Every structure is written in C-alpha cells, then in structure tokens.
Amino acid sequence: MNQDAEMTEVVRREVGEALDELLGLTDKLTQGNLPPEQFVRDAFRIFHNTKGALHLGGFPAPEKIAHAVEDKLSELRAAGQVPGPDLIDLMEQAMSACVYAVEGDGTHPELSLVLNKLLAHDHEGKSPEPGLLSAEVPRESEGASPEASNAHGTIRIESERLDRLMDLGSEYLAQYSRLRRQRGQLREFSDRFSALLKRDPKLKLLLQGAAQDFESFVRTEEQELRRVAQLTADFDRAMREVRMQPLGGVVSQLRRIVAESARDLNKKAHLSTDFGEVELDREVLDALREPLIHLLRNAVDHGLETEEERALKKKVPRGEVQVRARVAGANVELLVSDDGRGIDVQKVKKRAKALGLLTAVQQENDVDFVDRVLFFPGLSTADKVSNYSGRGVGLDVVRSRVSELGGTVSVKANEGAEGVTFTLSVPASVVSLRGLSVTSGKNTYVLPNSHVERTLRVRAEELGSAEGSTIMKSPEGAPLRLRWLSTEMRRPRQDDPAVLQVVVVSDGNQRLGLVVDEVQGDTTYVIKRLPWNLRKIPGVIGATHQGDSALALVIDLGHIFREQGSLGEHRIKKAEKQAKRRVLVADDSLTSRILERNILLEAGYDVTVQEDGQRALAALEASDFDLLVSDVQMPHMDGLELTRRVRAHPRLARLPIILVTSLDRPEDLENGAQAGADEYIIKGQFDQEALLRAVSRLL
Amino acid sequence: MDMKAANARKQRVLEERAELLARALRESEDSGDRIEVALCTVGSEVFALPLEHLREIVPLPALTPVPSCPDWVLGITHVRGNLMSVLHLGRFCGTKGESDPQQIAVVEGASGPIGLSVDAVTSCRHIKLSELTSADERVGRRVALGVTRDLSVVLDIPALLNLPELVIE
C-alpha cells in the first residue's frame, strides 16, 4: 500500500472511531449518566482531534465541518453553557457527514447541508441548572468516558493509564535485574560449596546428600529463572510495542512543511519518503518532529538551489528532498537528504574560524571537519536571515534534541551525487534501553549504548597531552582526547591507577575516551526522568535502577561533546580566582609576543616577554617563573635548545614549558617532546582558547 | 422561560451557597489554629514539620549525587517507586551545629515530592498557630510560619516548595 493510501486508511479509521465515541457520549448524556459539562469537554476533544486527522489526510471539506463544530463547542464552553438537543443532533449529523466523505473521495452532499445548518445555528445553549451538579451523577461513569471500544479492533486508552502500566513495568524490570544478580551469587555459592567438599573426603561423605539436594535446587532455580528471563524479554517487547507508532503517520505533515517552505522561498521542491514498516515509540516520534521539521526547512532553504541556479547546473528544476527510515539494531536511522548545492566547506571554515571553533586537533579532512563544527551553536552560513533558517539556531537545536533522546546526528556529502544527507540515529524505544554500566568514585553510571563504541585499557605512562587535553593513542592510531567521568560529574577526581579504564564514546562525529574506574558490563535499563526540581541539570538524561539500592545516573554523552566549546571560558574564570602566576613568553616576532602577552594578561597572568632563547634563559635564571611559553624558531637560541637547557638546569628542570610555532609539522611535535616540552601549540591555528587551556592545565 | 425570574432564582441559590461556604471556612479556621507537627532536630535546631504536608519519614536511603547542584542538594533517591531529590535541611536553612542526616521527611508539593534530611524525629505534638512568634531573627525565616515558645521553627512547607531556587538550572 502506498503511503497516501495508508494515511487515508488511518484517517478513515480515526473518523469512524470518533463517530462511535460521539454516539456513545450522547447516549450517556441523554440517560443522565454524564454531566453536561463533561460532555462538552469530551465532544470538543473529539472534534478537535478529528479536525486534525482530516487536515493531515487532506480532506478540506469535512475538516471545515469539524472546525465549525469545534468553534461552537468552544463558545459554549467559554460561556459555561451546555448544548441543547438540536445542537447535539447537529453534531451527530456533522460527524456522520465526515465519515461519509472520507469513505468516498472527500466530498459528500451532506457536508454543505450540515455546514449551513451549523452556521445558521445561534447560541441557544442552556445554562446548567444550578441544582443539577455533577455530584448527582454516579461516580463510576466518570473517567470511563475517554475510552471507547469499537468495531475496528482498536481501543483508546488514556495516556496516563498507559504510563502507569509502563511505570509498573519498569519496576518489574528493575526487580528482575536484581533477581538475576542474585542468581549469579547463588551459583557462586554453590560452586564454592562443592569445591570445599572436594577438598575433604570425610566432609564429602558426610554432606553428599545435602550437597546433591542443594545442587539440584540451584539447577531448578536456574531453569525457573531462565523461563522468567524469557517472559521478561517478551513482556519488555510487548510493553514497547504498545507504544509503537508507524512513521507513515507523519508523512503528510512533512510533505506540507516542504511544500510551504518551497512556496515561501520561491523554489520547487518535492518530498519523497520511504519509511517501510519502521515504527517508533510515540514519545520518540513526538520528540523527533521538531528536529525533522528543522532539517527539512534547512534542506529547502540552504540545500536546494533556485530554479534558475538549477537550470544553470543542468539539474532538473524541481529539487528532491528525501526522508528514509531504516532499522539499525536497536536504533532507527532517519536519513534526510537533498540534491541541492551541498555544504560550502570554505564558508563553514571561515565562519568556524571567526567563532574560534577551529583548533589544530580539529584540522583533519574537510568532510570530518564540517561534520564537527556544523552543529555548533551560532554556526550558520546563510548570508541573510530568513524566516526558516539561518538564524544560527537550528542544527545545534537538532543535535541537542536528538541527544536528549540518547541519539546522534551526523552529516555527510552524498557520494557520487550533489547534496548532503543528515543521519539521525535514535533508539526505537525509550522504555527500556541498552547501555554500559560503569563506576566512578562510589557511584554507578549508565552510558547509553548509542554513544559507546568500545572499551579499552591504557597504561598511565602512555598518556600524552595536546592543547590542554590529555590524549592517548587510539588503536587506530589517531589521538584520542580523554575526559574523566568524575570531572564531568563534578565529583572529586581520585588519583589515576597505573592502568586506566577507558570507554570510547562518539556522538556520530567526534570520539573521545571517557576514563572510568570500572566497567561493570552491558545492562538493560529503564530510564526515569530526574525529579521535578532537577530537570534542567545538563549532562544527565535521567536515572535508572540498577538493582542496587542507589540509583544510577544515565549520562547524556552528547552533552559532553557539546560542552567542549564552553570549557575554555570555564577555565579562564578559574584562572582569575587564582593568585597571579608568572609566565615568561619568548618569541622573536613582535606581533606574536604582543598577542600572547595580551591573551595571558587578560586571563589574569603576570607576563614577561623576551625576544630570543638566550635572553629568556637569563630571565628564567634570574627570577622565579611558573611557566614558559616559547616560540620554536628564534635567533641565537631556538625554542628546542632553550627547552633542553631548562630541563638540564638544576633549579628550572621542572618548569612547565609550552612550545608555540608557525611550523605545522609532525616531526616538530616529536622534537619538542624529545627536548622535554609539556605542550605544543601550532601558531597557524593559534587561538586564545587553546593557549589558555594549555596554560591552565600546566599551572 | 422568563429571564428575569430565572436570574433572580440563580442569584438566590448562589447567595445561599456562598453563605454555606463561608460558614464552613470560619469553622475550619477555628479548628485550624491547632495543628499537629513532628519535631525534628537538625544540627542544634529543632524544626516543627506540620503533619498535614508530611507524607512519611523514612531512614536515610542510599543517595545518588547529581552534578551541578548546590551543596544543599544531597542527591536523588527512590522512596516506594518515587524518584525525588533530597535537600540537606541544615545547609539549606543555614542552621548552627553540624547536622548529621539520619532520616528524611518526605513532603508533597504541587510539582511532586521532595525529601528533607533531618537528624532525628523526637516527637509529635499539637501547637497553636496563634501562639507563634515571628521568625525574624531565626534560621529559615523565609520558610517559617513562626517560632514556638520553646523556640522550634515551624516550617511553612508550601512556601519552601515554592522557592524558585529549589529548581536547579
């Protein structure tokens, strides 16, 4: 079935159900089993929802009817009145007309008839009798009204009831994981017991019967638990399926967004979708609506060219925007692509530079680079602000929304074709998720699997540093920036052990290593939102029960990546609080000298400058400095020689040294490290943040 | 129907109802002077927590610290399936003497429950609101209904739960 036909089918069903529900309501009202005010509220909801469904399904004529009734009901509600029998009758006629219309081609003679009657109908609602209050209505009927079973085999359930069921389900899953842990302990105990018996033949003889009973008991328990495990898995799946919605339901909304954007921007665009049978948790689907709309508007505004431009490039005049969905493990991937002009790498680079987002470590190949910086706040390359995009909010919002769902977003140029593809990867369900359980300090944390790549161990002496960050060599050879989970969680950082446990995490674009104390293993977790007064805490998605009595925080790993940008600022403030530290800057270029001096002065350091290595060494020997920042290329004595001399000097040997150079060559990094420098900064990408980060790390 | 007559009837009914409501309110005010409180020590201070707003008092459960919170947020915990944050009442109110939280008093606000750490619950008793003196010079005066004769600070739980700084940003 194609998607339009599918959509029509969904609308038909919904309108059919709406009629059934309305008839049920009017019955109850006439039997006196429903307070009239409640009837107005429920009827309003029914017509409101029907109107929405008709709109999505593209049935303008019946939509108008539903709208008219909705207006009528909202007038009544505002005036505190209840509908008379005439209006109730008219409401039933209106809904029936809508049903006739959607069963056919969207039109029906009944429609205009009812609409005229509706428009002619003036306020003749009655005020509720003062004596007739809801207390007279039996309580059983309250709350029962929102549900209505019907002939279509579906049932509507109040979302609160569903949520309650989900809550209970989560409790159950938590209890189950506790049970599973106990099974492990029981097995351990049984093994220890039989090992003990083996050691002493006398004891074995004495206790053999009991030991056999015990062993068979443990076996039975294990079998039982396996059965419970199977049931739990089925239950978990069923629970998720209850909340699943086909993606097909949003097609017409997306199509409208593209059509409207194209019309307003004077472009020609067409949206095609391929969602297959993919379903998403309704919560995920709701949360994805906004990022999807952003991306579609972005595609039409930034991606697609005008008709004239396309003609010049010999492209078909109508731009193509495509949204596809596919299942990738426990995740669903949504791919939003266009065949437009693609991303102007130079433009993005320029903008990123202006914003200070460009540092030496980030200068890899162009595609990766774009992928990294495009989602930074404030990065928009649109020359002028339009209604739709280019306001510098958009892609960063997309990224944080998706990250809140425990998902990732990335962008790539289309291979062998024009345009770009954005890939959103989100967990199909938010009810129970998979993650890695780790400890840091005394606490347990859960890292969502969506961001975890692998775990590895590294010896402390293999760590290096670059631009103020600790780095390690990843197995692929590229340097991997390290962050400590304890620091991210604002907990006191313990001394590092000889071998560090690292979890490699990625947000789809960048990777970094997260240092934890211990990896406990894979876990299925049920996420709970943080309590009401802590909802805005950044970096934490929620909490989960891990079977222990304490809760484990679920980390928003995407936030750790986002936070990198603001880290420099944080450090500067920290530097201000400290007593003035003395920094010696050695550089033969006047411009560099002044630049570095000003940056450091502004950050609150006491700065002295020298123009070559010899003078710098003399100054260091004559006075007390806390840090040396030195150029590599200098007359008389270069930075490498200066570093070697300082390291050989009895008093200065432990002085932190940062080498700065205009040479952007890997061998310099090596020479500098061999000479004994602690940090190395490349002048070409010289930016304030990198320098201050390096300085504050060393002091 | 004659609109005038109907309106007059409506007016009468409304007046009768208003009188009934007002009478009920006056009665409840009289009895509302006496409230029952739980007396809890926090450091060297004694707080009185009105039972009306108290859901339960439980031994201090395992707490999970949450980043970016002030030091008076001890962390989050789980009481009978409800996730809640736990406030260090002593730090929050700036009480004298080292508080050693052993129990939490779970109070219910409009937005949800919250736990207040206390050192010990000593007793429950009735107090008269009309006999309270103002808490001007006392700790926690922003969240106090007043002070009893023996200097216990009676907490105004709804006021406390309404403090904007409770919502951490």
Side-chain angles (χ1 to χ4, degrees):
Chain A
M1 201 189 301
N2 75 39
Q3 273 143 5
D4 279 342
E6 199 179 326
M7 184 68 203
T8 307
E9 200 44 51
V10 172
V11 174
R12 272 187 196 142
R13 205 171 64 207
E14 195 169 338
V15 180
E17 283 174 21
L19 177 62
D20 292 354
E21 197 183 349
L22 181 71
L23 295 177
L25 279 182
T26 50
D27 280 353
K28 269 198 211 156
L29 180 73
T30 44
Q31 287 155 16
N33 284 333
L34 186 68
E37 305 89 316
Q38 178 73 32
F39 172 80
V40 174
R41 274 199 294 278
D42 287 344
F44 177 82
R45 173 179 51 77
I46 294 171
F47 277 98
H48 178 80
N49 292 346
T50 306
K51 183 189 75 175
L54 291 167
H55 183 78
L56 286 180
F59 293 109
E63 188 197 334
K64 218 165 163 185
I65 303 268
H67 197 153
V69 180
E70 191 193 350
D71 282 351
K72 204 113 244 170
L73 285 166
S74 94
E75 278 170 29
L76 286 180
R77 198 158 65 158
Q81 293 176 323
V82 296
D86 284 359
L87 187 57
I88 291 171
D89 198 37
L90 205 48
M91 280 162 57
E92 287 179 3
Q93 285 177 34
M95 193 60 97
S96 309
C98 291
V99 173
Y100 300 146
V102 294
E103 310 265 71
D105 61 355
T107 59
H108 195 273
E110 196 62 39
L111 288 173
S112 55
L113 220 64
V114 176
L115 189 63
N116 285 337
K117 278 196 212 164
L118 269 172
L119 295 176
H121 190 272
D122 59 357
H123 307 251
E124 49 107 68
K126 342 179 258 173
S127 305
E129 296 264 314
L132 187 109
L133 290 168
S134 42
E136 285 177 18
V137 176
R139 288 203 73 78
E140 291 82 26
S141 69
E142 276 188 17
S145 51
E147 298 109 299
S149 60
N150 50 61
H152 300 278
T154 55
I155 176 167
R156 288 232 181 87
I157 307 174
E158 256 179 298
S159 59
E160 285 139 52
R161 293 189 184 193
L162 194 59
D163 290 344
R164 176 79 191 128
L165 191 68
M166 296 297 155
D167 274 353
L168 285 173
S170 345
E171 288 295 312
Y172 169 69
L173 285 183
Q175 189 62 43
Y176 167 71
S177 76
R178 206 169 307 159
L179 215 58
R180 208 179 45 181
R181 215 166 276 193
Q182 274 168 13
R183 176 191 63 181
Q185 284 166 357
L186 192 64
R187 172 42 66 195
E188 234 170 71
F189 181 52
S190 153
D191 290 350
R192 231 168 61 210
F193 186 49
S194 35
L196 276 177
L197 286 188
K198 267 185 204 136
R199 268 203 250 156
D200 189 338
K202 246 201 280 176
L203 206 62
K204 191 176 174 185
L205 208 66
L206 205 65
L207 289 175
Q208 200 159 26
Q212 271 165 6
D213 286 353
F214 183 47
E215 175 59 28
S216 82
F217 168 73
V218 172
R219 279 229 185 102
T220 321
E221 277 303 297
E222 281 178 339
Q223 270 168 16
E224 291 288 324
L225 250 160
R226 261 196 290 278
R227 237 165 277 153
V228 175
Q230 187 54 49
L231 278 175
T232 307
D234 290 349
F235 174 63
D236 184 30
R237 199 171 318 118
M239 216 165 78
R240 268 184 273 179
E241 278 167 6
V242 168
R243 297 166 55 101
M244 288 304 197
Q245 281 186 352
L247 268 167
V250 298
V251 173
S252 49
Q253 195 193 1
L254 300 185
R255 196 158 281 171
R256 214 172 58 239
I257 298 290
V258 169
E260 278 171 9
S261 312
R263 193 190 59 222
D264 291 353
L265 293 160
N266 231 338
K267 292 179 181 178
K268 276 204 167 138
H270 173 254
L271 175 75
S272 60
T273 53
D274 179 9
F275 290 148
E277 300 289 306
V278 178
E279 292 190 328
L280 274 178
D281 189 293
R282 72 184 155 93
E283 218 169 282
V284 180
L285 192 59
D286 279 349
L288 267 183
R289 229 173 272 253
E290 192 191 352
L292 267 180
I293 290 173
H294 261 302
L295 286 181
L296 288 177
R297 286 184 173 161
N298 192 64
V300 177
D301 192 4
H302 288 320
L304 298 184
E305 309 90 333
T306 59
E307 245 178 291
E308 297 79 45
E309 280 174 74
R310 289 183 74 91
L312 282 176
K313 292 186 185 170
K314 300 206 163 41
K315 284 180 169 181
V316 287
R318 193 177 72 170
E320 275 294 328
V321 181
Q322 199 185 28
V323 186
R324 282 167 293 158
R326 61 180 185 216
V327 177
N331 278 20
V332 164
E333 282 185 354
L334 283 163
L335 298 96
V336 180
S337 51
D338 64 71
D339 67 346
R341 59 171 79 93
I343 292 168
D344 186 340
V345 173
Q346 292 313 316
K347 217 166 168 183
V348 173
K349 241 185 178 169
K350 223 170 100 189
R351 185 92 182 104
K353 229 174 209 164
L355 288 172
L357 298 172
L358 201 66
T359 63
V361 167
Q362 285 173 332
Q363 54 134 23
E364 282 164 38
N365 68 61
D366 282 342
V367 176
D368 262 15
F369 162 75
V370 168
D371 210 17
R372 281 180 179 190
V373 301
L374 208 56
F375 295 96
F376 268 99
L379 195 121
S380 171
T381 56
D383 293 325
K384 51 176 195 263
V385 171
S386 75
N387 216 352
Y388 289 101
S389 38
R391 280 170 294 189
V393 292
L395 289 182
D396 61 311
V397 172
V398 169
R399 190 173 65 167
S400 48
R401 288 280 180 287
V402 172
S403 165
E404 278 162 21
L405 289 170
T408 58
V409 55
S410 61
V411 56
K412 278 220 155 51
N414 290 339
E415 271 174 45
E418 297 238 314
V420 289
T421 300
F422 285 87
T423 305
L424 309 179
S425 177
V426 291
S429 162
V430 288
V431 176
S432 85
L433 302 164
R434 298 199 64 78
L436 197 65
S437 169
V438 300
T439 61
S440 171
K442 288 189 192 111
N443 302 109
T444 306
Y445 298 94
V446 172
L447 311 176
N449 261 4
S450 52
H451 288 71
V452 173
E453 281 191 359
R454 60 189 297 181
T455 63
L456 39 91
R457 290 170 163 274
V458 61
R459 300 163 66 84
E461 64 258 31
E462 287 170 42
L463 301 184
S465 67
E467 298 191 345
S469 297
T470 308
I471 54 165
M472 64 174 281
K473 229 180 184 171
S474 76
E476 294 80 28
L480 191 65
R481 210 180 268 258
L482 291 187
R483 304 285 283 268
W484 270 253
L485 182 56
S486 49
T487 319
E488 296 304 320
M489 290 296 108
R490 313 286 189 265
R491 305 299 301 163
R493 182 167 151 188
Q494 320 278 321
D495 287 337
D496 287 330
V499 178
L500 279 75
Q501 176 69 62
V502 176
V503 181
V504 181
V505 297
S506 133
D507 71 345
N509 310 318
Q510 327 176 45
R511 304 156 80 211
L512 57 83
L514 206 56
V515 179
V516 302
D517 288 354
E518 201 188 318
V519 171
Q520 290 186 319
D522 263 328
T523 177
T524 301
Y525 63 97
V526 178
I527 196 158
K528 294 198 164 186
R529 291 171 73 195
L530 287 184
W532 58 276
N533 54 330
L534 302 181
R535 293 253 156 92
K536 290 178 185 160
I537 299 285
V540 180
I541 302 175
T544 177
H545 241 273
Q546 282 293 293
D548 317 87
S549 50
L551 297 156
L553 296 183
V554 181
I555 312 290
D556 180 359
L557 287 169
H559 177 80
I560 295 182
F561 288 97
R562 289 199 296 281
E563 216 205 0
Q564 282 188 321
S566 61
L567 199 69
E569 212 178 322
H570 179 69
R571 293 254 166 89
I572 295 169
K573 283 188 188 127
K574 205 169 122 200
E576 277 170 0
K577 282 184 203 147
Q578 290 163 352
K580 284 205 172 184
R581 312 296 290 264
R582 298 193 68 202
V583 180
L584 181 71
V585 172
D587 203 313
D588 59 329
S589 141
L590 180 66
T591 324
S592 302
R593 227 161 41 224
I594 300 298
L595 179 70
E596 286 160 33
R597 194 193 65 181
N598 289 351
I599 290 174
L600 290 167
L601 275 178
E602 211 169 294
Y605 296 100
D606 182 359
V607 188
T608 308
V609 291
Q610 292 296 340
E611 59 224 42
D612 64 49
Q614 256 169 17
R615 285 166 198 244
L617 189 61
L620 287 170
E621 282 173 337
S623 176
D624 271 338
F625 283 94
D626 296 303
L627 180 102
L628 168 65
V629 179
S630 172
D631 190 10
V632 171
Q633 303 277 304
M634 286 187 297
H636 308 304
M637 186 194 290
D638 69 8
L640 296 176
E641 183 57 26
L642 174 62
T643 305
R644 275 190 284 273
R645 294 277 186 97
V646 169
R647 286 286 172 259
H649 194 282
R651 185 173 65 86
L652 300 174
R654 297 180 67 87
L655 182 77
I657 301 175
I658 300 174
L659 284 182
V660 184
T661 181
S662 45
L663 297 178
D664 183 3
R665 293 185 310 186
E667 57 266 35
D668 266 354
L669 180 61
E670 217 161 277
N671 291 337
Q674 265 170 15
D678 298 283
E679 291 276 355
Y680 187 86
I681 289 176
I682 296 156
K683 216 186 260 176
Q685 260 84 43
F686 194 79
D687 71 82
Q688 194 162 318
E689 199 181 298
L691 176 66
L692 290 177
R693 229 188 300 172
V695 170
S696 81
R697 204 184 97 73
L698 290 172
L699 281 179
Chain B
M1 196 193 299
D2 179 0
M3 285 306 278
K4 223 170 167 181
N7 275 338
R9 203 183 104 208
K10 195 165 103 190
Q11 193 56 38
R12 235 177 8 253
V13 172
L14 286 176
E15 274 164 12
E16 276 163 24
R17 286 175 62 83
E19 172 56 26
L20 276 170
L21 279 171
R23 203 181 300 158
L25 204 63
R26 279 197 297 274
E27 276 159 14
S28 77
E29 252 167 17
D30 292 344
S31 62
D33 185 41
R34 257 163 69 88
I35 62 165
E36 203 173 5
V37 294
L39 295 178
C40 308
T41 56
V42 177
S44 50
E45 203 73 47
V46 177
F47 285 103
L49 276 55
L51 290 194
E52 182 194 351
H53 300 288
L54 207 54
R55 198 164 81 187
E56 58 187 322
I57 293 177
V58 294
L60 192 72
L63 292 165
T64 301
V66 177
S68 316
C69 285
D71 70 339
W72 44 261
V73 175
L74 281 173
I76 53 172
T77 193
H78 197 254
V79 178
R80 273 182 253 291
N82 279 303
L83 217 62
M84 65 186 77
S85 57
V86 177
L87 302 195
H88 191 291
L89 195 55
R91 288 183 199 150
F92 188 73
C93 295
T95 48
K96 286 193 210 84
E98 194 55 34
S99 166
D100 174 26
Q102 293 298 323
Q103 321 227 35
I104 63 169
V106 179
V107 295
E108 187 79 60
S111 328
I114 210 165
L116 306 173
S117 79
V118 299
D119 299 359
V121 181
T122 53
S123 61
C124 283
R125 59 170 230 214
H126 283 94
I127 56 165
K128 278 194 158 183
L129 288 178
S130 54
E131 288 171 3
L132 296 184
T133 52
S134 135
D136 276 355
E137 302 298 316
R138 303 282 302 193
V139 289
R141 59 177 178 275
R142 284 185 311 157
V143 291
L145 283 170
V147 179
T148 61
R149 274 185 203 156
D150 52 3
L151 301 181
S152 315
V153 178
V154 185
L155 281 187
D156 183 348
I157 304 289
L160 186 143
L161 289 171
N162 264 330
L163 288 177
E165 61 259 47
L166 230 48
V167 178
I168 316 291
E169 307 228 6

